[in-house]
Amino acid sequence: MKNEPIVIERVYNSPVKAVWEAITDLNKMKQWYFPMLTEFEPEIGFETIFNVEEGGKTYPHIWKITEVEPGRKISYEWKFGGYPGNSIVSFELFPEGDGTRIILTHKGIETFRGDLHPELSAQNFVEGWTNFIGTHLKNYVEQDTAE
């Protein structure tokens, strides 16, 4: 898995519009993704920094939007302040019947040097994205659709 991207694919029982809003609207992102996120705009060049506390450490998350195709795809650089590396996260949406197929791709994780910083290992990202995409986002958009 050394230089391979992480790819997580799921199908939600929720329309593309609802899933797009969940991954690009600040208030919705705070509910299922990162509650400590203070600003987010789905516009190329937008940058944000926010801190995540984990295991007694602070991890500054640095994001910069690199690609936006409204309703279809958003990508951003993802770095951690004080750590090596730079990665790209992409969320792609595809209509599937009345629902949405989402494909998350995270490239460049090996640049975080998980060999030196085990908390930034590829396995931790696989677990994190599986939890975010497979559980949190799914529950959020499917519960939102049911209301």
Side-chain angles (χ1 to χ4, degrees):
M1 179 185 268
K2 182 133 177 89
N3 293 320
E4 295 178 17
I6 293 170
V7 179
I8 307 283
E9 184 172 340
R10 297 290 186 272
V11 176
Y12 302 145
N13 184 25
S14 186
V16 168
K17 181 180 187 296
V19 178
W20 178 255
E21 289 174 1
I23 64 173
T24 60
D25 177 273
L26 173 64
N27 292 323
K28 293 180 180 186
M29 292 169 75
K30 289 172 77 164
Q31 293 180 54
W32 71 270
Y33 198 21
F34 285 108
M36 66 291 295
L37 196 58
T38 57
E39 54 184 352
F40 188 86
E41 295 292 334
E43 298 172 2
I44 292 174
F46 174 82
E47 295 183 53
T48 189
I49 299 173
F50 61 98
N51 291 328
V52 174
E53 306 288 332
E54 182 69 37
K57 285 185 160 181
T58 300
Y59 297 92
H61 287 50
I62 304 166
W63 292 353
K64 181 178 181 181
I65 306 296
T66 58
E67 184 177 11
V68 178
E69 295 177 38
R72 189 176 125 47
K73 183 177 183 181
I74 188 164
S75 302
Y76 41 92
E77 289 181 353
W78 182 318
K79 299 188 274 190
F80 294 97
Y83 291 87
N86 188 10
S87 66
I88 298 285
V89 174
S90 298
F91 296 81
E92 293 180 89
L93 307 180
F94 304 91
E96 186 149 313
D98 293 335
T100 304
R101 177 173 300 277
I102 186 168
I103 301 174
L104 175 129
T105 305
H106 195 166
K107 299 177 185 176
I109 291 169
E110 70 281 354
T111 68
F112 295 142
R113 296 295 312 267
D115 57 329
L116 300 177
H117 308 285
E119 65 275 23
L120 302 179
S121 71
Q123 184 57 41
N124 281 353
F125 281 96
V126 169
E127 291 170 11
W129 284 124
T130 299
N131 196 28
F132 275 130
I133 300 303
T135 304
H136 295 301
L137 180 57
K138 176 180 175 36
N139 291 346
Y140 180 78
V141 298
E142 290 186 355
Q143 168 243 334
D144 195 46
T145 302
E147 293 176 354

